[in-house]
Amino acid sequence: MVNLNELYYSGTHEYVRLEGEYGYVGLTDYAHNIIGEVDHLALPEVGKEFEAGEKIGMLTTKSNISTALTLPISGVVVAINKDVESKPSLLNDATSENWIVKVALIDEAELDNLMDIEEYKEKIAQ
């Protein structure tokens, strides 16, 4: 089980779970509650490099609402969660347990620009 206190949160409701020089990026539970049940994902290719804040894919819900998935930190996509890619509805159950992309971090210092759990809770309470 993911410890939510160990995640880094973006203002666009993605999280980063750090493991060594890699970041596992996913959608927060709060975002899922806003957009609804995800039933389709368009994801980037492995090997592609992105800057922090850049759009890396799209999520589409059962009610046909699409929203961009952005990368909270600069990195190179090294893996896609094949389980989530083949069955996007996994994001409807436990989004914080189901990462979407794994990236090799370019600049770990960028994590300082993200929020911890307390800051994120304050943001979503507004």
Side-chain angles (χ1 to χ4, degrees), residues 78-125:
V78 295
I80 301 291
N81 185 334
K82 294 295 184 187
D83 293 337
V84 169
E85 182 179 41
S86 65
K87 189 176 178 188
S89 63
L90 287 173
L91 293 176
N92 301 324
D93 299 327
T95 54
S96 59
E97 295 289 328
N98 292 300
W99 57 275
I100 299 171
V101 296
K102 176 182 176 182
V103 297
L105 304 179
I106 292 174
D107 183 2
E108 192 172 325
E110 288 181 344
L111 292 169
D112 294 338
N113 299 328
L114 301 177
M115 295 174 268
D116 64 21
I117 187 69
E118 294 307 318
E119 293 168 317
Y120 186 67
K121 284 180 181 178
E122 285 179 31
K123 176 184 175 48
I124 62 177

Side-chain angles (χ1 to χ4, degrees), residues 3-123:
N3 181 346
L4 300 179
N5 293 317
E6 295 176 358
L7 302 179
Y8 297 86
Y9 298 88
S10 73
T12 52
H13 309 292
E14 290 88 14
Y15 69 80
V16 178
R17 177 172 45 91
L18 188 62
E19 284 190 17
E21 70 263 17
Y22 297 104
Y24 292 80
V25 179
L27 188 67
T28 67
D29 291 328
Y30 178 79
H32 170 261
N33 291 335
I34 290 173
I35 65 171
E37 292 189 42
V38 176
D39 72 347
H40 180 73
L41 289 171
L43 298 175
E45 294 179 19
V46 170
K48 187 153 183 180
E49 183 176 323
F50 293 92
E51 295 294 318
E54 194 172 351
K55 177 181 149 184
I56 62 167
M58 291 294 292
L59 306 166
T60 305
T61 67
K62 287 187 176 183
S63 57
N64 213 22
I65 296 171
S66 294
T67 188
L69 177 66
T70 60
L71 195 61
I73 45 151
S74 300
V76 177
V77 176
V78 295
I80 301 291
N81 185 334
K82 294 295 184 187
D83 293 337
V84 169
E85 182 179 41
S86 65
K87 189 176 178 188
S89 63
L90 287 173
L91 293 176
N92 301 324
D93 299 327
T95 54
S96 59
E97 295 289 328
N98 292 300
W99 57 275
I100 299 171
V101 296
K102 176 182 176 182
V103 297
L105 304 179
I106 292 174
D107 183 2
E108 192 172 325
E110 288 181 344
L111 292 169
D112 294 338
N113 299 328
L114 301 177
M115 295 174 268
D116 64 21
I117 187 69
E118 294 307 318
E119 293 168 317
Y120 186 67
K121 284 180 181 178
E122 285 179 31
K123 176 184 175 48

